[in-house]
Every structure is written in structure tokens, then in C-alpha cells.
Amino acid sequence: MSHLIEIRDLKKIYAQGEEPVHALDGVSIDIDEGEFVAIMGASGSGKSTMLNILGCLDTPTSGSYMLDGLEVAARSRKELAVIRNKKLGFVFQNFNLLPRTSAIEQVELPDLYMGRLTRRERRKRALMLLERVGLGGRGTHKPSELSGGQQQRVAIARALMNEPPVLFADEPTGNLDTKSSIEIMNLFTELSNEGITIVMVTHEDDIAAYAKRRIVMRDGKVMTDDKADGGKRKTTEEVAELVRKALA
């Protein structure tokens, strides 16, 4: 069976001074359709570099990266931009919403670049996605009129606009309070249960506990890849112990 994501011996080396920095040092993993994966690790572990390469925001120094059956490791920037728009959705810590643009127009943006739908179809899908994330009555609101949790919901709806096979989330609760964080993670859980693949970077044990699989990185390598107990979600305490052992 083919995997949605397959990376083999992935390396990313930065030249800094006399000693090169191995941000990724021979990483090989597979991610299947519908998985909810948390990538964890301390600052400098390589988790953000991993997400940037998986999200086609950066290219590896060497190695292979297959995304939905397509080799993308050596693609040009222009080709990577097309792949991102067609196949990937992104949710960032800082929301990345346009300050003067309404929620529904924010959600429509990915299809404006792609041009897949008619104007009426695009508006209909955007409304449906806002309803899906619990913001059906907030379509005309600008970011300044929404709470942080609501802004992140708009960002999630936008990420889903082009029906990407995988959704990448970079510290998606980093700027949210506890209540909003729980709401966002419950939404991610629902999307995962519906079959959407989610790859999330986080340094928080309680957030990683929502994922069914946890990959812990250190010094550019995978220390543990935990998919035990039939993929059941672990408690925060179990995830914290997993990370502690991996980084010991």
C-alpha cells in the first residue's frame, strides 16, 4: 500500500561558520491517509525544518520525499507553489489572516489563486466551511472583530478550501488561551476522524496528546515514533513521559 507521505534519508544541512549544521540528519518516515501526527522536540531539534520540507516551503539537501505519489524533493520554487496550493493546507500559530478582509473572503482566497470554482461555487463552499468550523454567522467579520480562537477557526476553514489531502499545523494553539486551545484541538480531532490527514508541530505535551501518533525529534533525528496501543490517544502524562525518555 502506498503512503500519503514517504520520506527517505532526508537531510537538510545549513552552512554556518566552519561547521555545517545538520538540521535534518537522515530522517525516514511514512504517514498514511487519515493519520493525526504530532511532531515534537526541543528548540533546534529539527521539527520546524521537517514541517517546512513536508509543506513544500523548503527543499532538502538530499533524500527523497514522495507526496501523494509525487516526488517533490527536487522541485523548483514555482513547482512547489503549485503543489502547495493544490495538495496542502496550512494553519499557523499567528493565524496569517489579512487584517482588512472578511472571514468569508479569507476562506475563499486559496481558490482565487487556483481558479477551480465559479464565483458562486466558491462562495457556497466558503460558507459551508465557516459553518463547519462553527462560524456560520461570522462571515462578514474582519480579524479585529474576532477572538483568537475564532481567527484560528477561519484559518482552518481557509486551509480546507481546496480540499487538500493533508493539513499542516505549526504550533496552532501557541497564541491561544486554554479554552480556545481545547476548542481548536477538538476541531482537529473531528477533522481527523473524518479522514483528513493532520501533521502538527507542537512542544506542548497536552496538545500532542490529541494526536494518535507522536514523533519526537532531537538533533535532526527521529528519537521515537510512537504509534502504540492501536493508535489510541495518550494522556498528557503519558506523552510527557514519552518525550522525557526520548530526550534523556
Side-chain angles (χ1 to χ4, degrees):
M1 182 183 71
S2 62
H3 305 283
L4 181 60
I5 289 174
E6 300 179 32
I7 61 175
R8 294 291 180 270
D9 196 26
L10 213 62
K11 297 182 180 181
K12 183 66 177 182
I13 303 173
Y14 295 102
Q16 293 185 1
E18 295 182 359
E19 294 294 328
V21 176
H22 292 258
L24 292 181
D25 193 7
V27 176
S28 297
I29 61 171
D30 298 322
I31 296 174
D32 292 327
E33 185 176 353
E35 282 199 277
F36 187 176
V37 182
I39 302 177
M40 308 182 69
S43 178
S45 63
K47 63 183 187 297
S48 294
T49 301
M50 170 85 86
L51 191 74
N52 286 339
I53 291 176
L54 292 179
C56 296
L57 297 168
D58 197 1
T59 55
T61 303
S62 64
S64 172
Y65 173 23
M66 296 289 293
L67 171 63
D68 200 19
L70 181 68
E71 174 59 70
V72 300
R75 299 277 175 165
S76 68
R77 288 186 178 183
K78 185 176 181 179
E79 289 173 324
L80 289 177
V82 173
I83 292 169
R84 285 196 302 272
N85 201 37
K86 288 184 176 180
K87 294 183 175 293
L88 308 177
F90 295 91
V91 179
F92 299 98
Q93 178 176 343
N94 295 321
F95 319 137
N96 287 10
L97 300 179
L98 300 176
R100 296 183 178 86
T101 304
S102 69
I104 193 166
E105 291 169 332
Q106 308 265 7
V107 178
E108 289 177 323
L109 279 174
D111 188 70
L112 285 174
Y113 293 115
M114 192 171 177
R116 181 173 61 102
L117 304 175
T118 65
R119 182 177 180 180
R120 178 176 293 181
E121 290 170 338
R122 183 164 56 244
R123 180 54 55 98
K124 182 179 179 180
R125 176 160 176 78
L127 283 170
M128 182 272 290
L129 287 170
L130 285 176
E131 289 280 357
R132 175 64 190 83
V133 301
L135 293 177
R138 299 299 182 100
T140 61
H141 289 58
K142 294 180 173 60
S144 61
E145 301 170 313
L146 300 171
S147 68
Q150 290 170 335
Q151 289 184 61
Q152 194 62 293
R153 288 173 178 270
V154 173
I156 293 170
R158 180 184 61 189
L160 296 171
M161 183 65 188
N162 284 344
E163 300 180 90
V166 59
L167 182 65
F168 291 106
D170 188 2
E171 301 282 4
T173 62
N175 283 339
L176 302 179
D177 58 30
T178 300
K179 180 177 180 294
S180 296
S181 295
I182 292 171
E183 291 173 349
I184 292 301
M185 294 314 300
N186 284 337
L187 177 56
F188 276 135
T189 299
E190 292 173 7
L191 293 172
S192 173
N193 290 338
E194 293 169 9
I196 294 174
T197 305
I198 300 174
V199 181
M200 173 182 68
V201 160
T202 182
H203 67 277
E204 300 177 80
D205 298 333
D206 56 336
I207 297 302
Y210 283 86
K212 291 184 178 180
R213 177 180 176 190
R214 290 141 300 271
I215 296 172
V216 182
M217 299 189 66
R218 182 175 186 175
D219 298 331
K221 297 179 181 291
V222 172
M223 302 304 293
T224 62
D225 186 348
D226 176 64
K227 196 180 176 183
D229 303 323
K232 295 179 182 178
R233 291 184 172 87
K234 281 180 164 50
T235 65
T236 300
E237 291 75 16
E238 289 172 326
V239 173
E241 180 64 13
L242 169 74
V243 176
R244 187 192 66 76
K245 289 180 179 179
L247 301 181

